[in-house]
Amino acid sequence: MSNIELLPMAEPDSSDVAPCCPPLTERPFTVEEAETAAPMFKALGDPVRLRLFSAVASHEGGEACVCDIADVGVSQPTVSHHLKKLREAGLLTSERRGTWVYYRVEPSVLAAMGRLLAPPHTS
Amino acid sequence: MSNIELLPMAEPDSSDVAPCCPPLTERPFTVEEAETAAPMFKALGDPVRLRLFSAVASHEGGEACVCDIADVGVSQPTVSHHLKKLREAGLLTSERRGTWVYYRVEPSVLAAMGRLLAPPHTS
């Protein structure tokens, strides 16, 4: 009752994919680093999934339910399947509210992927 | 003979994958944008390919031949196969010099991928 600390934003379905690795140009990746990072890239390696991710990421308020992004031209079960894959890769988090599951981009994972792609230092 | 202009660095095997798209968080990707960008992510979506890419990207001088990156633990034909995939995706350029083909990271493509992953603007 007296706990007045602010809790971090709840991310109920956040996966365990965490920022893992240095920039790809810094040194050769270890097996473990590659196996952590590759699934994040793979998740965005499908055109339909990339469009869905972009639809969620750019949706008003930074989140969207399946009902919001029905215009990608694939069936709703297919949309749900791809959103689940993106969630499993740690790129989206999800939360059920009433009838719908809402998906939200996980900004720390985007930032981590961006960091991997940082260009080499030039001197 | 009188042409004293400096030519840009030759990139003999550069593919047609060009920086294509706004950040994923900016607006929903079009079909065309998704089909241009997805292959770049897919190319990095395999752990072995990611390690090879990192080995080339971090190698002294920013380039490497198959002979330089034999320690990934897969056969040389497999290395060559994956390097070819990375080249086809536009992530590496290649140039034959003598016996060996040298691979080099295409910095503009790295930068373009990094831009795709730029986090959403917060106001």
Side-chain angles (χ1 to χ4, degrees):
Chain A
M1 295 289 262
S2 62
N3 185 344
I4 56 165
E5 284 186 285
L6 288 173
L7 292 170
M9 291 285 284
E11 291 174 2
D13 282 322
S14 178
S15 95
D16 286 329
V17 177
C20 74
C21 313
L24 283 157
T25 56
E26 193 170 296
R27 59 163 173 73
F29 265 30
T30 65
V31 172
E32 293 71 25
E33 287 168 342
E35 284 175 354
T36 305
M40 300 191 278
F41 288 110
K42 189 175 181 184
L44 296 180
D46 175 90
V48 171
R49 221 147 47 218
L50 198 57
R51 288 180 67 204
L52 289 170
F53 181 82
S54 176
V56 171
S58 63
H59 199 262
E60 199 180 331
E63 67 175 14
C65 66
V66 174
C67 55
D68 291 321
I69 50 178
D71 58 349
V72 170
V74 294
S75 70
Q76 188 168 311
T78 301
V79 171
S80 294
H81 166 80
H82 282 305
L83 291 175
K84 182 161 174 273
K85 291 278 179 192
L86 288 164
R87 184 166 64 76
E88 287 170 355
L91 294 170
L92 297 179
T93 57
S94 68
E95 188 183 6
R96 178 173 286 281
R97 293 206 296 274
T99 309
W100 296 104
V101 177
Y102 285 81
Y103 291 88
R104 177 175 283 279
V105 170
E106 177 51 54
S108 67
V109 175
L110 264 198
M113 289 182 75
R115 181 166 172 257
L116 294 184
L117 297 167
H121 287 287
T122 51
S123 53
Chain B
M1 295 289 262
S2 62
N3 185 346
I4 55 165
E5 284 187 285
L6 288 173
L7 292 172
M9 291 285 285
E11 291 174 4
D13 283 323
S14 178
S15 94
D16 287 329
V17 178
C20 74
C21 313
L24 283 158
T25 56
E26 193 169 295
R27 58 163 173 73
F29 266 31
T30 65
V31 172
E32 292 71 26
E33 287 168 342
E35 285 175 353
T36 305
M40 300 191 279
F41 288 110
K42 189 176 181 183
L44 296 180
D46 174 271
V48 172
R49 220 146 49 217
L50 199 57
R51 288 179 66 203
L52 289 170
F53 181 83
S54 177
V56 172
S58 63
H59 199 262
E60 200 180 330
E63 67 174 15
C65 66
V66 174
C67 55
D68 291 321
I69 49 177
D71 58 349
V72 171
V74 294
S75 70
Q76 188 168 310
T78 301
V79 170
S80 294
H81 165 79
H82 282 306
L83 291 175
K84 182 160 174 274
K85 291 280 178 189
L86 288 164
R87 184 167 61 77
E88 287 170 354
L91 294 170
L92 297 179
T93 57
S94 68
E95 188 182 5
R96 179 173 286 281
R97 293 207 296 273
T99 309
W100 296 103
V101 177
Y102 285 80
Y103 292 88
R104 177 176 283 279
V105 169
E106 176 49 54
S108 68
V109 175
L110 264 198
M113 288 181 76
R115 180 165 172 257
L116 294 186
L117 297 167
H121 287 288
T122 51
S123 53

